[in-house]
């Protein structure tokens, strides 16, 4: 009987442990080791950039030598994908080339898809007017499932951006309502397991406080994307957002760090995770590292798009204020220590002078008489 009870208990613990593992419960991470890996990746970032530029040069050369329209279109798609997270103006150029080539090939579905991609690229760089103009040109009836997913996604993104930065409360409510509507549209057409579907499904599960389900979905997502890629960085970022809602600060930092590390290794200039990690490092008192990360982000994001976007400026300002405040605090502490040290030094000098004065006293009467008798004897 005892053996049966023990066996049942062991089976229960094993099953519970497996369930927890399947739900994505992470071990306590070594954050310092991860930060050192990020530091090293930043030091070697020119090598990662050189690798991406090599791929771009190869594709551009092939495109310049290709005469077949369909093969030109395929190469233009490759170049758009290579430039998309790296340099916005070049990504827009090749997305527009895709539209032109698709039009020549009479592929209305691809024309609409790449106009949607251009719109998303514009809104991602803060070009909201251009984004809306492009989306209004899309023939929705010509789009297939993938095209509709990209189209609705672009609308969802631009509405969220405008809602976030509008100064008018009515506009904010209007565009956030539109964002919710387009989010539902994306979920209704996106292929299950696609990046768009997984992202929004995790958002929905987190909003419903089904956090373990969200972590299980996240674990499945991470298992499908290779480590060291932008796709993995994207998945890691959304895992960090689940832990944000759970209030697990160490795992928020870990997955933001993993996301940032993968983006650096992928030569991604459209940095977001590293900005957010830098702000949290300030909260931890690691101001030097936070300052370095923000400066690296500024350099990358300026290469992606000349003008920092509103959310990026917000993170830069927060980190810089924290760094400057910490520097001022350190300066005040050093000044206080210096003043106290100077006062102590003065006190010691005064005490030594006083002690020396006490030891140098006038000769006594006995000393005078002894000296006088010695003089007589001589």
């Amino acid at each position: 009987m005892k053996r049966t009870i023990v066996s049942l208990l062991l089976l229960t613990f094993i099953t519970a442990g497996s369930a927890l593992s399947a739900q994505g419960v992470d071990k306590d991470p070594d954050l310092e080791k991860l930060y050192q890996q990020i530091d090293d990746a930043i030091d070697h970032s020119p090598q990662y950039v050189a690798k991406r530029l090599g791929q771009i040069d190869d594709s551009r050369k092939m495109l310049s030598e290709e005469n077949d329209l369909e093969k030109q279109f395929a190469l233009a798609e490759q170049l758009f994908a290579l430039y998309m997270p790296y340099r916005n103006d070049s990504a827009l150029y090749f997305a527009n080339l895709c539209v032109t080539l698709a039009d020549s090939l009479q592929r209305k579905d691809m024309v609409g898809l790449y106009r949607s991609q251009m719109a998303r690229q514009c809104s991602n760089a803060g070009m909201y007017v251009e984004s809306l103009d492009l989306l209004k040109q899309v023939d929705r009836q010509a789009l297939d499932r993938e095209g509709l997913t990209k189209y609705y996604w672009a609308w969802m993104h631009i509405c969220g951006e405008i809602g976030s930065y509008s100064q008018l409360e009515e506009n904010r409510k209007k565009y956030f309502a539109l964002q919710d509507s387009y989010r539902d549209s994306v979920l209704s057409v996106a292929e299950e397991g696609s990046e768009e579907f997984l992202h929004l499904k995790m958002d929905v599960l987190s909003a419903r406080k089904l956090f373990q389900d969200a972590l299980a979905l996240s674990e499945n997502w991470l298992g499908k994307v290779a480590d060291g890629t932008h796709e993995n960085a994207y998945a890691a970022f959304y895992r960090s957002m689940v832990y944000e809602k759970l209030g697990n600060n160490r795992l928020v930092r870990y997955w933001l760090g993993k996301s940032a590390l993968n983006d650096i290794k992928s030569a991604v200039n459209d940095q977001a995770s590293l900005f957010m990690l830098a702000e949290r490092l300030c909260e931890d008192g690691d101001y030097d590292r936070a300052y370095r990360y923000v400066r690296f982000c500024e350099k990358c994001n300026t290469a992606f798009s000349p003008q920092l976007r509103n959310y990026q400026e917000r993170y830069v300002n927060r980190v810089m204020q924290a760094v400057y405040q910490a520097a001022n605090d350190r300066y005040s502490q050093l000044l206080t220590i210096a003043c106290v040290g100077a006062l102590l030094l003065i006190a010691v000098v005064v005490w030594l002078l006083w002690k020396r004065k006490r030891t140098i006293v006038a000769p006594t009467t006995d000393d005078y008489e002894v000296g006088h008798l010695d003089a007589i004897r001589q």
Side-chain angles (χ1 to χ4, degrees):
M1 181 68 178
K2 289 181 180 179
R3 287 182 181 178
T4 304
I5 294 172
V6 170
S7 298
L8 287 171
L9 287 172
L10 284 172
L11 182 61
T12 301
F13 287 134
I14 291 169
T15 305
S18 300
L20 287 173
S21 177
Q23 290 170 357
V25 176
D26 296 291
K27 295 179 180 179
D28 190 38
D30 186 345
L31 292 179
E32 183 57 34
K33 181 180 178 181
L34 178 61
Y35 298 156
Q36 288 173 5
Q37 290 174 341
I38 295 172
D39 295 339
D40 183 66
I42 289 174
D43 290 337
H44 292 87
S45 61
Q47 297 175 19
Y48 305 129
V49 171
K51 181 180 178 181
R52 182 175 286 269
L53 288 176
Q55 294 171 335
I56 287 171
D57 289 342
D58 290 343
S59 295
R60 291 186 76 131
K61 184 180 178 182
M62 291 170 65
L63 178 61
S64 67
E65 296 172 352
E66 186 57 66
N67 294 318
D68 183 78
L69 280 179
E70 288 190 359
K71 291 180 179 177
Q72 285 181 356
F73 178 74
L75 288 166
E77 285 189 300
Q78 284 181 26
L79 283 161
F80 170 73
L82 285 167
Y83 274 120
M84 184 172 63
Y86 178 68
R87 183 163 292 155
N88 186 60
D89 55 354
S90 297
L92 288 172
Y93 172 83
F94 283 104
N96 190 57
L97 180 58
C98 286
V99 170
T100 303
L101 291 169
D103 191 48
S104 299
L105 291 165
Q106 298 184 347
R107 292 287 306 275
K108 290 184 178 180
D109 55 335
M110 290 292 104
V111 170
L113 185 148
Y114 276 97
R115 279 200 176 124
S116 299
Q117 292 284 60
M118 286 177 70
R120 167 63 196 276
Q121 199 72 17
C122 285
S123 67
N124 203 35
M127 302 161 62
Y128 303 143
V129 174
E130 294 86 343
S131 179
L132 290 171
D133 286 344
L134 284 163
L135 287 171
K136 290 173 184 176
Q137 296 175 44
V138 174
D139 180 4
R140 190 175 61 180
Q141 302 303 318
L143 298 175
D144 59 11
R145 187 176 185 178
E146 181 188 6
L148 281 171
T149 300
K150 302 296 185 188
Y151 173 74
Y152 288 136
W153 185 275
W155 268 114
M156 181 192 76
H157 189 269
I158 184 63
C159 289
E161 290 288 296
I162 294 173
S164 295
Y165 301 120
S166 176
Q167 301 298 312
L168 301 175
E169 187 60 29
E170 273 190 38
N171 273 2
R172 289 172 62 85
K173 290 179 180 179
K174 170 188 171 183
Y175 280 102
F176 282 144
L178 284 170
Q179 182 189 32
D180 290 340
S181 177
Y182 283 117
R183 181 183 290 110
D184 293 339
S185 297
V186 173
L187 282 170
S188 69
V189 298
E191 184 177 349
E192 190 170 341
S194 67
E195 188 174 89
E196 293 87 358
F197 177 87
L198 290 167
H199 165 184
L200 295 183
K201 188 68 175 176
M202 285 185 65
D203 283 349
V204 170
L205 290 171
S206 294
R208 294 175 180 172
K209 297 186 178 181
L210 300 172
F211 300 121
Q212 296 304 325
D213 290 339
L215 288 174
L217 185 64
S218 167
E219 194 164 304
N220 182 53
W221 185 1
L222 285 163
K224 292 179 178 179
V225 288
D227 196 23
T229 63
H230 181 47
E231 291 75 18
N232 190 286
Y234 196 67
F237 175 82
Y238 281 98
R239 190 173 183 81
S240 77
M241 293 298 97
V242 179
Y243 282 117
E244 179 78 40
K245 293 182 183 297
L246 284 168
N248 191 323
N249 292 325
R250 286 185 63 79
L251 287 174
V252 169
R253 284 153 175 74
Y254 176 76
W255 287 105
L256 280 177
K258 287 286 289 183
S259 177
L261 180 62
N262 285 329
D263 270 345
I264 296 166
K265 288 183 174 181
S266 304
V268 169
N269 281 332
D270 191 14
Q271 292 284 343
S273 298
L274 197 57
F275 266 126
M276 298 176 72
L277 179 61
E279 184 180 34
R280 284 159 177 78
L281 286 172
C282 281
E283 295 172 3
D284 299 337
D286 195 347
Y287 299 107
D288 292 339
R289 187 171 265 149
Y291 179 81
R292 187 187 186 208
Y293 288 178
V294 161
R295 285 305 187 201
F296 178 76
C297 286
E298 284 185 299
K299 179 183 174 183
C300 289
N301 281 272
T302 302
F304 175 77
S305 180
Q307 185 176 358
L308 285 176
R309 279 147 282 166
N310 291 340
Y311 88 89
Q312 294 168 344
E313 290 181 356
R314 187 167 66 246
Y315 280 115
V316 170
N317 291 336
R318 286 176 181 172
V319 171
M320 289 306 178
Q321 286 175 6
V323 169
Y324 291 146
Q325 184 61 49
N328 287 335
D329 290 344
R330 282 199 293 264
Y331 175 77
S332 298
Q333 290 172 359
L334 289 172
L335 186 62
T336 302
I337 291 169
C339 290
V340 170
L343 290 172
L344 288 173
L345 182 61
I346 292 169
V348 169
V349 170
V350 170
W351 179 77
L352 289 172
L353 290 174
W354 175 78
K355 189 173 182 181
R356 184 180 178 187
K357 187 176 180 181
R358 287 284 304 271
T359 58
I360 304 173
V361 295
T364 63
T365 304
D366 292 341
D367 292 336
Y368 175 79
E369 290 177 351
V370 169
H372 182 67
L373 289 173
D374 288 341
I376 293 173
R377 290 192 190 102
Q378 292 175 1

